[in-house]
Amino acid sequence: MNETASQVRHDYAVEMLEITKKFPGVLANDRVTIRIKNGEIHAIVGENGAGKSTLMNQLYGLYHPDSGEIKIFGEKKTFVGPRDAIRAGIGMVHQHFMLVNTLTATENVVLGNEPVKGLNFDLKHSRQAVKELSEKYGLYIDIDAKIEDMPVGMQQRVEIIKTLYRGAQIIILDEPTAVLTPQEVEELFEIMRNLQKDGKTILFISHKLNEVMEISERITVMRGGKVTAELITKDTNEREIARAMVGRDVVLKLDKAPHKPKDIVFEVKDLHVRDNRRLEVVKGVSLTVRKGEVVGVAGVAGNGQTEFIEAITGLRKAESGHIIFQGKDVTSAHPRVLREMGMTHIAEDRFKYALIKPFPAYYNVILGRHYKPPFAKGAFLDHKEIKRYTAELMEEFDVRPRIIEHLGGNFSGGNQQKLVVGREIKANPKFMVVAQPTRGLDVGAIEFIHRQILRMREQDVGILLVSMELEEIFSLSDRILVMYEGKIMGEVRPEETTVEEVGLMMAGKRLEEIRGGKL
């Protein structure tokens, strides 16, 4: 789609004026006004449940405002669905990609808009169109590769090309860096700048304040369904943005007090694990964790971390190798055996392994200990004690709302995670497996959960932290291991390495190669 004269002239690409959107029991957007300048990179930030996604889904036609109006390049628009938004020049790259794994990059880009020659699909024309867009914006991809054979950074480029192929002048990027290595993030930012040079307007939704500071020109902050601040990036800082997001001062990076680790509490020796397809995805991993230390495992999603965690917590059978906990071989032991021995697990997928959504909070916080005192008297649950304990836990871990009958699925993401973290910590563990503890959480919830992890470290609990967030890994870990395609690429200490070095290991370079190349 070519720019019209009105698009070129108009100061604002997007104006969302007095937008209100209600869901049952929730006022998601409360008379929100936001204006995005033509040709700028504009960041939208806020806590979980602040209303960012709801607002963007209305701009893309997925939801319809209860009141207010949307203007695109000065013209009032009413979107019945995404097709109307696409016609108006809006494209959206969702956090979870909308691609067909078995099709090629080219086929995914043109899907639904396929050029034809006679009665047949015109593959030659499609390939040429995708190639030209790819080269114009520095979105380098293999146009004939299948999506399932591409790393996530390349898949994201296919999504961006798809929006451009449909004529997007305004591109919404929803948490676009969540699954990228540091090097891929830099490449994405370069692509965003190329798009901006060509006159595109970009809305960048992110939780990562350092990235917002690096790439945006203006920032809109939302809290509780309202706009709480409109900031010019060069005139603000991360602390001010965080305060506008949360409503209080936030410690963005905790000081980790020196702590001397004690004896080895957990050890893995030459562990091999297969996934559900029977493919080997953990290939000879070995590591140790001592009492009172945090060992971080960094890596991009899909490199064997999930199966590794499942194996060491008893949720998946190991193919070979040994898992040793407190001096005992517990390879393929049942999860209950491990919990009885003092292992707890903050699962990366809280709905699959940590919470039961239809259960009230007071049942969710006793899972894994529900069958024994003080929560059970013989074959019966002691509901009075369970409810007392739940109220105490919700107070201690700042779970809101403080309603013990509130269903697990009805809490916000941050409060669900606080329930899970509180349950696992109050089980008095000797060793904790902590997987993606702050995925998708806002800065306030992240600060709280990081404090709890460091508190357990000071109490001589051994902690294995598996995270894709490098800031988190660097901030909390005493030692860092990097996993790529099921293997450990190297072990470093946070004070003796750099984000770039860890990023290279995340992309498949061994530590010896990286440091050898520097000499």
Side-chain angles (χ1 to χ4, degrees):
M1 186 179 89
N2 295 321
E3 286 183 310
T4 65
S6 67
Q7 289 173 0
V8 173
R9 280 199 310 269
H10 206 276
D11 287 345
Y12 293 108
V14 176
E15 293 169 275
M16 301 184 77
L17 309 172
E18 296 284 307
I19 299 291
T20 296
K21 181 65 182 174
K22 296 177 183 173
F23 297 105
V26 178
L27 180 57
N29 291 147
D30 184 5
R31 298 176 65 189
V32 171
T33 292
I34 180 171
R35 293 179 173 90
I36 314 296
K37 288 181 179 177
N38 198 347
E40 76 171 340
I41 298 175
H42 191 115
I44 300 175
V45 301
E47 294 183 277
N48 290 97
K52 311 181 298 292
S53 294
T54 301
L55 191 68
M56 290 301 100
N57 284 334
Q58 290 170 91
L59 180 57
Y60 195 56
L62 290 165
Y63 295 155
H64 314 296
D66 296 328
S67 62
E69 66 179 24
I70 296 172
K71 290 182 179 179
I72 304 298
F73 299 111
E75 294 181 21
K76 186 175 177 180
K77 298 285 184 182
T78 301
F79 299 143
V80 175
R83 191 174 289 274
D84 292 336
I86 291 166
R87 283 198 197 102
I90 300 168
M92 186 167 183
V93 177
H94 298 269
Q95 188 175 350
H96 303 290
F97 304 148
M98 308 291 184
L99 298 170
V100 181
N101 281 337
T102 53
L103 297 182
T104 67
T106 295
E107 289 164 343
N108 268 279
V109 168
V110 303
L111 191 62
N113 256 326
E114 299 92 339
V116 292
K117 195 171 185 179
L119 296 174
N120 299 317
F121 169 48
D122 189 347
L123 178 60
K124 184 179 178 184
H125 181 273
S126 299
R127 291 179 76 259
Q128 187 59 32
V130 173
K131 187 170 183 286
E132 285 174 6
L133 282 170
S134 168
E135 290 173 352
K136 180 177 180 180
Y137 296 105
L139 287 153
Y140 300 113
I141 59 168
D142 180 346
I143 62 173
D144 298 316
K146 287 187 176 179
I147 296 300
E148 62 192 2
D149 297 327
M150 286 184 163
V152 287
M154 291 293 173
Q155 292 180 21
Q156 187 177 68
R157 293 179 184 193
V158 175
E159 283 278 27
I160 296 171
I161 293 170
K162 194 165 77 175
T163 69
L164 296 169
Y165 180 78
R166 285 159 174 70
Q169 297 298 322
I170 299 159
I171 301 172
I172 305 164
L173 299 175
D174 186 7
E175 298 283 352
T177 64
V179 292
L180 303 182
T181 67
Q183 285 78 9
E184 286 173 327
V185 170
E186 285 306 316
E187 289 166 9
L188 173 65
F189 286 175
E190 190 57 36
I191 288 162
M192 289 168 68
R193 293 183 184 109
N194 289 339
L195 291 165
Q196 184 185 29
K197 283 175 194 165
D198 195 54
K200 310 296 183 196
T201 302
I202 298 173
L203 283 74
F204 178 68
I205 305 170
S206 180
H207 279 106
K208 301 179 182 178
L209 301 188
N210 59 325
E211 294 178 357
V212 166
M213 291 296 297
E214 182 179 343
I215 194 64
S216 69
E217 291 149 284
R218 290 195 306 138
I219 304 162
T220 296
V221 186
M222 294 183 69
R223 184 172 80 243
K226 297 182 178 182
V227 172
T228 55
E230 293 172 336
L231 305 167
I232 297 168
T233 308
K234 64 181 176 62
D235 297 335
T236 190
N237 55 53
E238 291 183 27
R239 195 170 298 280
E240 184 181 12
I241 302 167
R243 191 184 307 121
M245 284 172 66
V246 181
R248 62 176 175 81
D249 285 327
V250 177
V251 179
L252 296 170
K253 187 172 181 186
L254 299 174
D255 288 328
K256 187 173 62 192
H259 187 74
K260 191 170 176 61
K262 297 182 171 55
D263 300 337
I264 291 172
V265 67
F266 182 79
E267 191 170 3
V268 173
K269 295 180 178 178
D270 194 27
L271 189 69
H272 293 257
V273 184
R274 294 184 185 275
D275 66 7
N276 294 338
R277 300 164 298 170
R278 301 299 300 152
L279 299 174
E280 188 177 43
V281 289
V282 178
K283 305 168 184 175
V285 168
S286 298
L287 58 81
T288 59
V289 182
R290 294 178 178 275
K291 295 176 183 174
E293 97 172 322
V294 179
V295 175
V297 178
V300 177
N303 278 282
Q305 304 98 312
T306 297
E307 292 80 6
F308 174 66
I309 293 162
E310 289 174 351
I312 64 177
T313 55
L315 296 169
R316 179 179 293 271
K317 193 175 186 303
E319 199 69 21
S320 64
H322 296 279
I323 300 164
I324 298 160
F325 178 34
Q326 297 200 89
K328 293 181 181 175
D329 193 319
V330 293
T331 312
S332 298
H334 191 278
R336 181 178 284 193
V337 172
L338 298 173
R339 289 187 77 85
E340 291 283 0
M341 288 177 67
M343 180 189 295
T344 63
H345 175 202
I346 296 171
E348 64 176 335
D349 186 338
R350 53 182 168 263
F351 294 134
K352 189 174 182 181
Y353 289 131
L355 275 177
I356 301 175
K357 288 196 276 188
F359 276 21
Y362 63 79
Y363 282 153
N364 271 297
V365 300
I366 63 164
L367 291 176
R369 297 165 67 202
H370 57 281
Y371 55 89
K372 60 182 185 179
F375 308 126
K377 287 182 176 177
F380 299 96
L381 292 173
D382 184 344
H383 281 89
K384 185 177 178 183
E385 171 59 23
I386 290 167
K387 290 179 178 180
R388 184 206 65 76
Y389 173 82
T390 304
E392 178 185 278
L393 182 146
M394 291 176 84
E395 182 71 31
E396 182 179 343
F397 289 87
D398 191 30
V399 181
R400 302 178 195 179
R402 295 224 203 323
I403 303 169
I404 64 173
E405 296 85 5
H406 207 58
L407 300 184
N410 291 346
F411 288 98
S412 70
N415 286 295
Q416 288 171 344
Q417 195 70 347
K418 286 179 182 179
L419 268 181
V420 172
V421 169
R423 179 185 70 212
E424 300 305 297
I425 284 176
K426 284 182 77 68
N428 296 319
K430 296 179 174 65
F431 172 66
M432 295 182 73
V433 179
V434 181
Q436 317 299 349
T438 59
R439 176 189 279 165
L441 303 188
D442 58 71
V443 287
I446 289 170
E447 176 200 20
F448 182 88
I449 286 169
H450 283 183
R451 284 190 189 281
Q452 299 305 317
I453 291 170
L454 291 179
R455 181 165 71 89
M456 299 310 286
R457 169 181 174 265
E458 287 165 13
Q459 292 175 15
D460 288 335
V461 175
I463 298 165
L464 184 67
L465 169 69
V466 181
S467 177
M468 292 185 294
E469 300 290 348
L470 274 190
E471 272 191 72
E472 182 163 78
I473 289 282
F474 270 80
S475 178
L476 299 179
S477 303
D478 296 293
R479 291 185 288 126
I480 300 170
L481 290 86
V482 180
M483 190 179 282
Y484 174 77
E485 291 190 347
K487 296 178 181 178
I488 299 297
M489 293 289 110
E491 179 184 315
V492 290
R493 293 192 172 273
E495 65 274 14
E496 296 170 359
T497 188
T498 62
V499 168
E500 291 72 26
E501 195 169 64
V502 172
L504 286 169
M505 285 191 279
M506 287 167 69
K509 297 284 185 188
R510 289 197 171 275
L511 183 61
E512 312 87 78
E513 293 177 64
I514 298 165
R515 291 190 170 171
K518 288 180 179 176
L519 298 175

